[in-house]
Amino acid sequence: MPSCDSLRPTMLILDDLPQSCKDVLASGGIQLEFLDAHKASYAEIQLRMSYCNLIAIRTRKTAEIISYLLSYWPTSRLHAIACFEGGVASALTISHIPILSLDSTPSPYAVSELCLSLTIILSRQLLSRNRQAHNGVWNKDHVNCHEVRNKTLGILGVESNQVCGHQTGILAQALGMRVIAHTPRLHMMTHGCTTNVKDLTTVAQQADFMVILDDQDLVENPPSVQVRKSLQGQILIHTSVGDDDGQRTKKFLDWLEKAVTPASEQETPIQLGGVAIVVPSNDFDEDMSTSNGGQTQREIEEEIMDEGYSTEDYACFKTGRYGRASTEVQKRRLAWRDQLQRLGIENVALIPQHALGTMESYEANANKFAHQIIDLSKQVIAQMRSNVDPTVPHYPSERPVRLSGMVC
């Protein structure tokens, strides 16, 4: 007869998790149960949840299912719900059960790699060449296609993203680039041979490419004449993303429009070499039904087409990682691209924020999250042991049975 010391908390995994994460949970003494929430019936999911202490989910659809089931059939054994994907917790409409959410902050090394890859893509005009190739045009012209070797990379916002800034400088130097940065609150760069210059104007004047990790100092100051002139032919990589529904991106685009727009008719327009902007992806979680004003999907598409956007542009923004974007989100992002086209910038890349993450960074965050769940499971075990009567036999494999469609 097993003793109360053999009690183990049970976790029901309703979505696919990385194998390394499962190994961490199993090694921490958690008994794992697996069920595909998208294929199982509601009755089966409710039955399995009735004897589990923890639930692990990864998709918003699964979150909606268990929210519906727990609203009608609550269980006292459930101690917490673990969301192994960012943005999923907002779909849970449960208030009486603790919700644990994964920190989906991308690795600074993944962000650095993306900055350098975007620099190469824009400097080689690969976006326009890709569109031309899909349209049957084989362009052999090398105009405006340049190597990054022997060019200068300027980094802004190193103070708030030191690891990312240092790693970006190291990767750029490995490609044969000269790296400069403006770090007023840091006496020197601690990695590589990055040159610390005196102000933002110097960075703009000397750099061929600018990676903007934090645009706070940039947007708070109007562009000077020297900065505006130095933007001619430059490629900007903007990765400063805030959780403000795109307001930070809009401020940067407004600053950029003031910088490249001629102040008088005598001045010649400033032509940027290219722009890559990481746009926030948290608004992909919005429900389209709450913001379309009762319009059908066909009416929404016709409305957007009437505003002059092509089918290809519309298709780039109508879907997201967690579901369909709302009409306001579609129009806002199309407005960003339209604003860049008005400025004459054709070499443009809009990157969703979740593209900053990689499988390696996700697994690292998921494994760290799994250790936090193990700490919670120890509290669950202590509570289970306090509720066990030592005189009553306990069988860890005991499961509730289904009688006439009911769970006992």
Side-chain angles (χ1 to χ4, degrees), residues 147-211:
E147 299 178 2
V148 298
R149 187 173 179 270
N150 295 328
K151 299 296 191 301
T152 300
L153 177 70
I155 305 176
L156 301 180
V158 179
E159 293 89 346
S160 58
N161 301 274
Q162 294 188 30
V163 177
C164 184
H166 296 157
Q167 185 65 21
T168 303
I170 292 174
L171 294 179
Q173 291 166 7
L175 293 174
M177 303 180 70
R178 174 175 174 261
V179 182
I180 60 175
H182 173 52
T183 57
R185 290 177 289 274
L186 295 178
H187 297 291
M188 58 184 297
M189 300 289 287
T190 56
H191 296 282
C193 300
T194 302
T195 303
N196 190 6
V197 296
K198 61 180 181 178
D199 52 24
L200 298 176
T201 303
T202 307
V203 175
Q205 289 176 338
Q206 297 185 11
D208 301 298
F209 311 93
M210 278 205 303
V211 174

Side-chain angles (χ1 to χ4, degrees), residues 342-353:
R342 287 200 310 269
L343 300 178
I345 308 174
E346 298 180 356
N347 195 15
V348 178
L350 297 182
I351 312 298
Q353 184 181 5

Side-chain angles (χ1 to χ4, degrees), residues 5-10 25-26 29-32 53 381 384 394 396:
D5 294 334
S6 62
L7 288 175
R8 297 175 61 191
T10 303
L25 293 171
I30 300 178
Q31 183 176 346
L32 303 181
N53 309 113
I381 293 175
M384 291 169 61
H394 171 72

